[in-house]
Amino acid sequence: MKLLRKILFPFIPIYYLVTWLRNKFYDLGWFSSRSYDIPVICVGNLSTGGTGKTPTTEYIIGLLKEKQYQLAILSRGYGRKTKGFILAGKKASAETIGDEPFQFYNKFKGHVSVAVDENRQHGIEALQSMESPEVIVLDDAFQHRKVKAGFYVLLTAYGNLYSDDIVLPTGNLRESRAGAKRANCIVVTKCPTSLSFSEKEHITQQLRPLSHQSVYFSTISYSEYIYNGSDRFSLQDLVGKTITLVTGIAHPQPLLDYLRSKSIDFEHLKFKDHHMFSTSEIEVLRQKEIVLTTEKDYMRLQDSFDANTSQLYYLPISFQIDKSDAFDTEIISFINSF
């Protein structure tokens, strides 16, 4: 893959020009973009993935849920086997709405409306008609210019900043770094907990935020417990056992490092991000003694395992952001401006 990306280097100017022209036409108003009379918050990135959109979105959902807003989440539903608008309900699954929306639905069931639609304009209109939300959060819609959100949260991963990257096909950027100017705030995700003030200042200088853009730093930490449906077990219970770790996420290395730091031995079966497991792959996994996976992967795997066997587990993560009071205030102030 690395060799192929190097071979495709001459195509960078073509990709850059196409995406630049597209954004320019939206900026000039030659392509229409619709705004709304309710607060619409977009969480997204410039890169192709692995920036921690799901935990960031869940943090914002938790914040707004605590403030008792009537809230809806709209996603494209990447990887689903359906088309068009779907409002998550009792029959929802990773196949019908996608793994990340299904995770949102399971975690915030009864408190938040979760919907998917590849046409975000249509999805917003359908949500307004059916659910009458006070706030809509768009998951992974930074490049969806047909909708003009009122507030953009741009994510970039520590160690893989968009300021150090180039556009596809050789780099990982979906559009040029100039797209960052649309952001209201920038969150550097997946930072080490030991990140110093001077390092934060250096990263901020690299990102070159505009005068109105705040820069925040967030960390992800792994739980001390694993879960099997509604049951919880100590992670240390896995020490000395035969473990198969299954990941279908963009960057699993931090998870591998964490498990090893806990003296847990495992074989690692790595799949691409949002991988939909085949029947033959499921059969292989069913032969394993204990299968450990991420919460997102669990959404796609759980229906293929007997819940009573205590064979499949997931390890949840938690999200922390520095200057959380300031970040929360920015979000709430935007909403209150309506």
Side-chain angles (χ1 to χ4, degrees), residues 135-158:
V135 184
I136 294 178
V137 177
L138 299 179
D139 173 47
D140 195 14
F142 200 80
Q143 284 74 41
H144 199 89
R145 299 295 306 273
K146 288 184 179 181
V147 167
K148 186 176 182 181
F151 195 93
Y152 287 90
V153 180
L154 177 63
L155 310 182
T156 186
Y158 174 84

Side-chain angles (χ1 to χ4, degrees), residues 145-175:
R145 299 295 306 273
K146 288 184 179 181
V147 167
K148 186 176 182 181
F151 195 93
Y152 287 90
V153 180
L154 177 63
L155 310 182
T156 186
Y158 174 84
N160 192 24
L161 303 175
Y162 62 74
S163 57
D164 298 329
D165 207 347
I166 57 176
V167 297
L168 294 163
T170 300
N172 292 310
L173 298 185
R174 299 170 175 175
E175 59 174 304

Side-chain angles (χ1 to χ4, degrees), residues 31-252:
F31 287 172
S32 62
S33 183
R34 184 173 175 183
S35 55
Y36 297 85
D37 57 2
I38 65 169
V40 177
I41 300 170
C42 172
V43 180
N45 52 28
L46 296 182
S47 68
T48 53
T51 57
K53 289 188 301 296
T54 301
T56 306
T57 301
E58 288 183 349
Y59 177 88
I60 294 172
I61 295 168
L63 168 67
L64 301 184
K65 174 175 166 286
E66 184 179 305
K67 300 295 183 181
Q68 298 185 336
Y69 287 104
Q70 184 69 30
L71 178 64
I73 310 164
L74 179 62
S75 176
R76 171 189 170 190
Y78 184 85
R80 62 184 172 127
K81 295 183 178 181
T82 57
K83 297 290 184 182
F85 177 83
I86 296 178
L87 180 65
K90 292 181 179 179
K91 295 183 179 180
S93 68
E95 289 191 350
T96 60
I97 64 173
D99 52 7
E100 290 170 350
F102 190 47
Q103 181 173 324
F104 298 147
Y105 175 71
N106 275 276
K107 189 164 290 187
F108 300 102
K109 191 181 302 182
H111 299 281
V112 177
S113 301
V114 178
V116 295
D117 198 335
E118 56 271 24
N119 183 333
R120 306 296 172 87
Q121 283 189 0
H122 178 265
I124 291 174
E125 292 165 6
L127 278 170
Q128 287 182 302
S129 173
M130 300 170 64
E131 300 293 298
S132 301
E134 296 175 306
V135 184
I136 294 178
V137 177
L138 299 179
D139 173 47
D140 195 14
F142 200 80
Q143 284 74 41
H144 199 89
R145 299 295 306 273
K146 288 184 179 181
V147 167
K148 186 176 182 181
F151 195 93
Y152 287 90
V153 180
L154 177 63
L155 310 182
T156 186
Y158 174 84
N160 192 24
L161 303 175
Y162 62 74
S163 57
D164 298 329
D165 207 347
I166 57 176
V167 297
L168 294 163
T170 300
N172 292 310
L173 298 185
R174 299 170 175 175
E175 59 174 304
S176 75
R177 288 168 282 188
K181 69 179 183 293
R182 299 196 302 275
N184 293 83
C185 70
I186 301 167
V187 180
V188 183
T189 60
K190 302 184 177 181
C191 297
T193 55
S194 58
L195 194 64
S196 67
F197 176 80
S198 61
E199 288 176 300
K200 292 178 181 178
E201 288 289 299
H202 177 67
I203 291 172
T204 301
Q205 291 173 5
Q206 287 181 281
L207 295 176
R208 297 183 178 181
L210 300 178
S211 59
H212 70 278
Q213 293 176 322
S214 305
V215 178
Y216 300 95
F217 296 83
S218 69
T219 60
I220 287 176
S221 59
Y222 294 95
S223 174
E224 293 286 338
Y225 297 91
I226 58 174
Y227 293 79
N228 182 318
S230 59
D231 296 326
R232 187 181 81 164
F233 305 89
S234 171
L235 185 63
Q236 290 302 305
D237 291 342
L238 299 181
V239 175
K241 295 185 179 179
T242 305
I243 309 299
T244 299
L245 176 67
V246 177
T247 62
I249 56 177
H251 302 295

Side-chain angles (χ1 to χ4, degrees), residues 15 26 97 101 205 218 266 281 307 311 319 323:
Y15 184 92
Y26 273 110
I97 64 173
Q205 291 173 5
S218 69
F266 54 89
E281 290 167 342
Q311 182 185 8
F319 174 93
K323 300 178 182 177

